[in-house]
Amino acid sequence: MSGTAGAGLEAALARAEAACLARGAQLTELRRQVLRLVLASPQAIGAYALLDQLRAERPGAAPPTVYRALDFLLEQGLVHKVERLNAFIGCVGPEAHAHCGHGHDHPHQFLICSKCGATAEVCDDRVAAAVAEAARAAGFAPSRTTVEVEGLCAACAGSARQ
Amino acid sequence: MSGTAGAGLEAALARAEAACLARGAQLTELRRQVLRLVLASPQAIGAYALLDQLRAERPGAAPPTVYRALDFLLEQGLVHKVERLNAFIGCVGPEAHAHCGHGHDHPHQFLICSKCGATAEVCDDRVAAAVAEAARAAGFAPSRTTVEVEGLCAACAGSARQ
DNA sequence: GCGCCGGGCGATATAATGTAACGCCGCACG
DNA sequence: CGTGCGGCGTTACATTATATCGCCCGGCGC
Ligand SMILES: [Zn+2]
Ligand SMILES: [Zn+2]
Ligand SMILES: [Zn+2]
Ligand SMILES: [Zn+2]
């Protein structure tokens, strides 16, 4: 469900490259490799799983290698961190959020299936607005918001007749 | 701002005891000690900080000691975990949420000040409803929801004239 | 050319957070 | 009694994340 397949992956990488170019950020070879791995994963992927895969192309890779790349990708909004899972997921980003006009620091929410592990990113403005409103009502000035919902995805709920 | 002071702490412990009694759960001495420490903390507190403090009264305490107590307290809804901080916070619970009729698995959101670290729990039904609505729109059956907002609390925003 | 500087990264070590597994003990139940 | 189960002590380990040092390389001023 998640994960960017085949040609879509290349297209996403090309968009990422363009976005970085536009804002003067360097999408180096290492960063591109890490981004490719994150995008290719069908689920949110942990930093160490990413590291294992990265070592196939870059034998000397160590934890800081992948964490530094992830820090960059997070700053650029090309990946997100799923806090509940301590794992990372590619942003479906530009192509999916262009319609709502959000940039690289767009509001987003995650739907995490507790059965199959699939994690979907959605972008619901009403949720974002409700959260912002609740924060302001408490005299709080929000900067970044995490919304993560655990439950059953459509596929798993459908197959669970119990 | 967070943290339950003096007599309020004792009252909160008494309420916790009553709640456990009512549902047949045992609030043992260890669990009460951990709950007291969490409630007494002015901010969300990490498991290992908790462990350090716990050792004052229970020298042999080890990580499983505190994690097991926390698991129990989380199940009972007496504490919550702040995922962004990997830290735990006492539920302001019964007295604050009684008015909205929520039980020990009530919806809640956190407002985390990035300057002073204060973490406030709020209970906004519109946020909960918006999230549930967005999830259902995606064919997703939600069970548990995490909403955590990072930003500036009223006190810090007021004092930041920069 | 030459030296300086900064970002990116290799490499090592270590910190912080969280679990697995085993066994003891006390208590409820028959 | 014996049996089972929940709570907890204890040891070891797994997972996630960061600190630090130092090299390389490319840009920039001189
Ligand atoms: Zn996104
Ligand atoms: Zn599923
Ligand atoms: Zn609560
Ligand atoms: Zn503050």
Side-chain angles (χ1 to χ4, degrees):
Chain A
M1 199 73 22
S2 254
T4 305
L9 199 163
E10 298 307 322
L13 284 170
R15 279 194 307 273
E17 180 115 41
C20 286
L21 195 58
R23 53 182 98 109
Q26 311 181 45
L27 186 59
T28 63
E29 180 57 20
L30 169 63
R31 290 164 177 175
R32 187 197 324 275
Q33 287 172 339
V34 171
L35 177 57
R36 177 189 299 271
L37 290 173
V38 174
L39 288 171
S41 170
Q43 308 187 345
I45 183 173
Y48 281 74
L50 218 38
L51 177 56
D52 284 344
Q53 297 186 21
L54 183 62
R55 287 208 241 246
E57 359 179 34
R58 198 172 276 257
T65 309
V66 60
Y67 277 104
R68 283 191 293 227
L70 285 171
D71 284 346
F72 171 85
L73 296 170
L74 286 167
E75 273 172 16
Q76 298 303 314
L78 299 171
V79 309
H80 300 300
K81 179 170 186 182
V82 185
E83 300 285 351
R84 285 184 74 95
L85 305 178
N86 293 318
F88 302 85
I89 192 172
C91 179
V92 293
E95 95 274 17
H97 295 317
H99 72 279
C100 45
H102 295 308
H104 70 121
D105 194 12
H106 67 98
H108 57 276
Q109 303 89 37
F110 293 123
L111 305 177
I112 308 164
C113 180
S114 32
K115 189 166 184 193
C116 70
T119 300
E121 178 180 3
V122 297
C123 177
D124 186 301
D125 287 327
R126 282 194 295 252
V127 168
V131 171
E133 165 69 19
R136 281 192 300 106
F140 190 90
S143 56
R144 274 171 306 174
T145 297
T146 300
V147 177
E148 299 177 1
V149 185
E150 191 176 330
L152 284 183
C153 72
C156 290
S159 69
R161 281 280 162 266
Q162 49 161 351
Chain B
M1 202 69 27
S2 255
T4 305
L9 197 163
E10 298 307 321
L13 284 169
R15 278 193 308 272
E17 180 114 41
C20 287
L21 195 58
R23 54 182 97 110
Q26 312 181 42
L27 186 60
T28 63
E29 180 56 21
L30 169 61
R31 291 163 177 177
R32 189 198 320 278
Q33 288 172 339
V34 171
L35 177 56
R36 179 190 297 273
L37 290 173
V38 174
L39 288 170
S41 170
Q43 308 186 346
I45 183 172
Y48 281 74
L50 219 39
L51 178 56
D52 284 344
Q53 296 185 21
L54 183 61
R55 287 208 242 246
E57 359 180 32
R58 199 172 275 256
T65 310
V66 61
Y67 277 104
R68 284 191 293 228
L70 285 171
D71 284 346
F72 171 86
L73 296 170
L74 287 168
E75 273 173 16
Q76 297 303 314
L78 298 172
V79 309
H80 299 300
K81 179 168 186 182
V82 185
E83 300 285 350
R84 285 184 74 93
L85 305 178
N86 293 320
F88 302 86
I89 192 171
C91 179
V92 293
E95 94 277 15
H97 295 316
H99 73 279
C100 44
H102 296 307
H104 68 121
D105 195 13
H106 66 97
H108 58 275
Q109 303 89 35
F110 294 123
L111 305 177
I112 307 164
C113 180
S114 33
K115 189 165 182 192
C116 69
T119 300
E121 178 181 1
V122 298
C123 177
D124 186 302
D125 287 326
R126 283 194 296 250
V127 169
V131 172
E133 166 69 20
R136 279 191 302 106
F140 190 91
S143 57
R144 274 171 306 175
T145 297
T146 300
V147 177
E148 299 177 1
V149 185
E150 191 176 330
L152 284 182
C153 72
C156 289
S159 68
R161 281 283 162 264
Q162 52 160 352

